[in-house]
Amino acid sequence: MTTRIGVVTFPGSLDDVDARRAIRLAGAEPVALWHRDKSLNQVDAVVLPGGFSYGDYLRCGAIARFSPVMETVVEQARAGLPVLGICNGFQVLCESHLLPGALTRNDHLHFVCRDQRLRVENADTAWTSDYAEGQEITVPLKNGEGGYVADERTLDELEATGRVVFRYLDVNPNGSRRDIAGICNEAGNVVGLMPHPEHAVEALTGPTTDGLGFFTSVLKKLVAS
């Protein structure tokens, strides 16, 4: 039976097609999900892609959290459905309170686009099991509001419970607190990160193929469960 991974398209999504291609390359079946539909069409996992959902009016992800599809995503994520939020998807996860904290304007007030080195801090989530803890990977990063912020108590809790999943190496590109590039929820089924693994799945087009592990990780978890 083929594993089905849904990719939500919001108005303004840019990287939904790239995410579906990455899923296909990993060996799963990508399923297009529309923001106005409550049904997830019986998918086994969901990806919230990068882009500028609803034009990033108000705050990034603030309107997307109220879309019909997110009502179902939130409900099923809390029941254990694997969900990955990439860039704008990370912002949507924070706005939906599936992940703590928020993403704010880059501290240098400029859009940044670069190949970013990351360290894998947690290889036990649904989306990172194909990596090793401490492994260094390189994937593209592109954002204008990518600075991860939270109060000190929340940051300390994320650190103490191993919920910091990725950390920036060499340079902090956006002013994220404690160089945090990605985090997860307590159960490890929901992961959000600013960099774009879906742009690093083929040697021809990516700086590396380091991003493919996200999609093979969840596929192996779903097949095993």
Side-chain angles (χ1 to χ4, degrees), residues 143-220:
N143 64 73
E145 298 187 34
Y148 180 74
V149 297
D151 60 80
E152 290 300 320
R153 180 177 178 180
T154 299
L155 293 169
D156 289 343
E157 181 182 351
L158 290 173
E159 300 272 17
T161 56
R163 291 170 57 193
V164 175
V165 182
F166 295 96
R167 217 179 294 268
Y168 295 117
L169 293 178
D170 298 335
V171 62
N172 184 325
N174 44 37
S176 290
R177 297 297 305 279
R178 305 191 189 183
D179 298 329
I180 291 174
I183 61 173
C184 67
N185 66 345
E186 291 182 15
N189 62 301
V190 178
V191 171
L193 79 161
M194 262 295 126
H196 286 262
E198 79 281 13
H199 293 327
V201 293
E202 294 180 287
L204 179 64
T205 57
T208 66
T209 58
D210 291 346
L212 194 59
F214 282 79
F215 308 98
T216 57
S217 291
V218 75
L219 179 58
K220 289 179 181 177

Side-chain angles (χ1 to χ4, degrees), residues 125-137:
T125 78
W127 299 90
T128 58
S129 60
D130 263 0
Y131 299 103
E133 184 176 329
Q135 183 176 346
E136 297 180 5
I137 64 175

